[in-house]
């Protein structure tokens, strides 16, 4: 930079660009008066989708604290952070269309059915989010759901731990295959999916078995007037949110997804992060399988067949970049709700249920086409 004016490196922006920057509605994140440390000057930051922002200055001037505050790891002294992402607008519009167009949509029985039917998908999608943040994908979640449900329905003691051991084992195997053996996540989890689906049919050839009544009540009863299925979702969402935004592992997950090599050079143990992500995903799939088995009081070796594609679709609809590093719990929950409402609308409008797969595939393709990429792939 010696001998060259600063304007030559950073030319002034046009009036149109300046006006666009000054419009908060165009921003995905608007940070005002962020004070990371006592006595430090407040920071002002405006971010839009697709932008990469760097921070310069002398060491010790608060750059690291600002980044940690934005990531949720450090609680700032004062902040006014406004996210202008429009999660929920599409769901509100979809809900209004169904309420006006489908006469039975607002019926209490249908709303109860929707709640029960949708619950499993957000739980699985939360696990898929964790894997997607490290630029991975897990197609085996559907088979994990099926096998976990079959195990719960055929064991005398549903709390024996076999289902949770299943989730832990599958997650470790998937993580080792991806991180150590270097197998592409699609191929690795597709192989695991096929293997686990065979085991599910070996445990229970046809729908049947019996689930402990206490477990059934946890899935079907109400608490303070609210269905307990909603509590399953809320607890899982809160756990994943705490993991991603209030723990060191969550920070490392975002770092590995954004740039695995850079994270490794900065001391992040990428292998442990990948293993943890796949274990979390498989454990949440087990929780979903236990819920489904408890809800219908039986196991079914095919109950999770559609969740592999649907969870990836919900993640993409929720604004998660499948190339890693970008995503939120709120986004995937709204994506899962959108997909669940669409499936319920297909039933209410009398549309052939065979179109459900076609709609899911079309939504996944549309969501992926809207994402930015620089190379062929996810």
């Amino acid at each position: 930079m010696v001998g060259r004016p600063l304007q030559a490196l950073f030319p002034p922006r046009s009036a149109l660009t300046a006006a666009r920057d000054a419009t908060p509605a165009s921003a995905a994140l608007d940070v005002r008066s962020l004070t990371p440390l006592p006595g430090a000057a407040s920071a002002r930051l405006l971010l839009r989708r697709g932008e990469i922002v760097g921070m310069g200055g002398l060491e010790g001037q608060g750059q690291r604290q600002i980044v940690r505050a934005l990531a949720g790891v450090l609680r700032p002294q004062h902040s006014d952070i406004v996210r202008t992402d429009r999660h929920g607008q599409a769901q509100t519009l979809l809900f209004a269309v169904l309420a006006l167009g489908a006469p039975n949509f607002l019926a209490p029985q249908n709303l109860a059915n929707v709640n029960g039917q949708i619950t499993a998908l957000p739980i699985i999608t939360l696990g898929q989010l964790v894997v997607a943040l490290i630029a991975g994908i897990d197609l085996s979640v559907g088979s994990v759901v099926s096998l976990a449900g079959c195990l719960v329905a055929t064991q005398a003691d549903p709390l024996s731990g076999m289902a949770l051991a299943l989730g832990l084992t599958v997650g470790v195997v998937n993580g080792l295959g991806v991180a150590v053996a270097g197998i592409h996540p699609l191929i690795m989890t597709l192989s695991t999916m096929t293997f686990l689906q065979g085991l599910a049919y070996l445990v229970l050839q046809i729908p049947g078995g019996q689930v402990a009544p206490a477990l059934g009540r946890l899935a079907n009863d109400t608490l303070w007037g609210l269905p307990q299925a909603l509590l399953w979702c809320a607890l899982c969402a809160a756990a994943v949110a705490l993991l991603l935004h209030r723990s060191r592992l969550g920070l490392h997950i975002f770092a590995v997804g954004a740039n695995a090599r850079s994270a490794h050079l900065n001391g992040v143990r990428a292998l442990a992060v990948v293993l943890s992500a796949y274990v979390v995903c498989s454990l949440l799939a087990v929780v979903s399988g236990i819920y489904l088995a408890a809800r219908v009081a039986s196991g079914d070796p095919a109950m999770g067949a559609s969740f592999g594609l649907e969870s990836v679709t919900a993640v993409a609809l929720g604004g998660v970049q499948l190339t890693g590093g970008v995503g939120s719990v709120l986004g995937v929950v709204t994506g899962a709700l959108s997909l669940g409402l669409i499936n319920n609308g297909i039933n209410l409008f009398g549309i052939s249920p065979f179109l459900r797969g076609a709609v899911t595939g079309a939504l996944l393709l549309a969501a992926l086409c809207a994402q930015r990429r620089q190379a062929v792939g996810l």
Side-chain angles (χ1 to χ4, degrees):
M1 293 178 62
V2 177
R4 287 184 290 174
L6 192 61
Q7 290 79 5
L9 295 175
F10 302 99
R13 292 176 292 184
S14 65
L16 179 61
T17 304
R20 184 189 64 181
D21 290 351
T23 306
S26 66
L29 181 66
D30 189 6
V31 181
R32 311 164 188 169
S33 304
L34 174 62
T35 307
L37 295 173
S42 61
R44 174 74 168 89
L45 195 61
L46 191 65
L47 299 180
R48 291 180 298 275
R49 287 185 177 273
E51 282 189 335
I52 299 177
V53 177
M55 293 187 183
L58 298 176
E59 180 66 25
Q61 297 302 307
Q63 303 95 319
R64 181 174 306 197
Q65 287 77 11
I66 290 176
V67 174
R68 288 171 62 85
L70 291 175
V73 179
L74 175 69
R75 183 179 295 277
Q77 295 294 310
H78 179 268
S79 66
D80 185 8
I81 301 176
V82 181
R83 292 184 58 94
T84 55
D85 293 328
R86 289 171 172 78
H87 292 310
Q89 287 190 355
Q91 289 72 29
T92 303
L93 178 61
L94 183 59
F95 190 91
V97 170
L98 290 175
L100 294 175
N104 297 324
F105 177 73
L106 294 178
Q109 184 60 44
N110 181 67
L111 293 178
N113 291 336
V114 169
N115 179 74
Q117 292 167 0
I118 290 180
T119 296
L121 182 57
I123 296 175
I124 300 172
T125 305
L126 288 167
Q128 197 72 254
L129 163 67
V130 179
V131 171
L133 287 175
I134 61 166
I137 189 172
D138 192 348
L139 297 180
S140 67
V141 290
S143 296
V144 173
V145 169
S146 298
L147 184 53
C150 292
L151 289 176
V152 169
T154 54
Q155 296 296 315
D157 182 8
L159 301 179
S160 61
M162 288 190 63
L164 295 178
L166 164 70
L168 180 62
T169 303
V170 173
V172 170
V173 170
N174 284 336
L176 290 175
V178 172
V180 177
I183 304 173
H184 193 281
L186 276 172
I187 304 302
M188 184 65 215
T189 58
L190 183 63
S191 302
T192 311
M193 178 191 76
T194 307
F195 176 77
L196 294 175
Q197 191 60 57
L199 286 183
Y201 279 107
L202 186 63
V203 173
L204 197 63
Q205 290 75 32
I206 59 174
Q210 188 175 2
V211 176
L215 194 58
R217 289 193 294 271
L218 285 177
N220 296 309
D221 284 358
T222 60
L223 181 65
W224 300 316
L226 296 174
Q228 291 194 158
L230 188 61
L231 184 61
W232 288 63
C233 276
L235 290 176
C236 291
V240 173
L242 289 174
L243 170 69
L244 294 179
H245 303 294
R246 290 292 185 272
S247 71
R248 184 180 297 272
L249 175 59
L251 195 61
H252 289 176
I253 286 174
F254 280 101
V256 170
N259 191 316
R261 175 168 174 77
S262 176
H264 174 71
L265 293 176
N266 281 278
V268 176
R269 296 165 56 186
L271 173 59
V273 172
V274 172
L275 282 175
S276 301
Y278 278 98
V279 167
V280 169
C281 184
S282 295
L283 287 176
L284 286 171
V286 167
V287 172
S288 183
I290 294 174
Y291 165 76
L292 285 176
R295 179 174 177 265
V296 299
S298 65
D300 185 349
M303 71 166 61
S306 63
F307 284 120
L309 178 61
E310 288 185 354
S311 62
V312 176
T313 303
V315 161
L317 288 175
V320 178
Q321 292 287 329
L322 297 184
T323 51
V326 177
S328 67
V329 171
L330 178 61
V332 298
V333 170
T334 54
L337 291 178
S338 296
L339 200 56
L341 290 175
I342 289 173
N343 291 334
N344 183 251
I346 288 176
N347 296 332
L348 292 179
F349 285 114
I351 302 173
S352 172
F354 297 108
L355 285 177
R356 176 179 174 180
V359 171
T360 302
L363 289 174
L364 176 59
L365 181 60
L368 290 179
C369 288
Q371 295 187 4
R372 299 184 181 187
R373 61 183 56 79
Q374 296 179 345
V376 176
L378 293 175

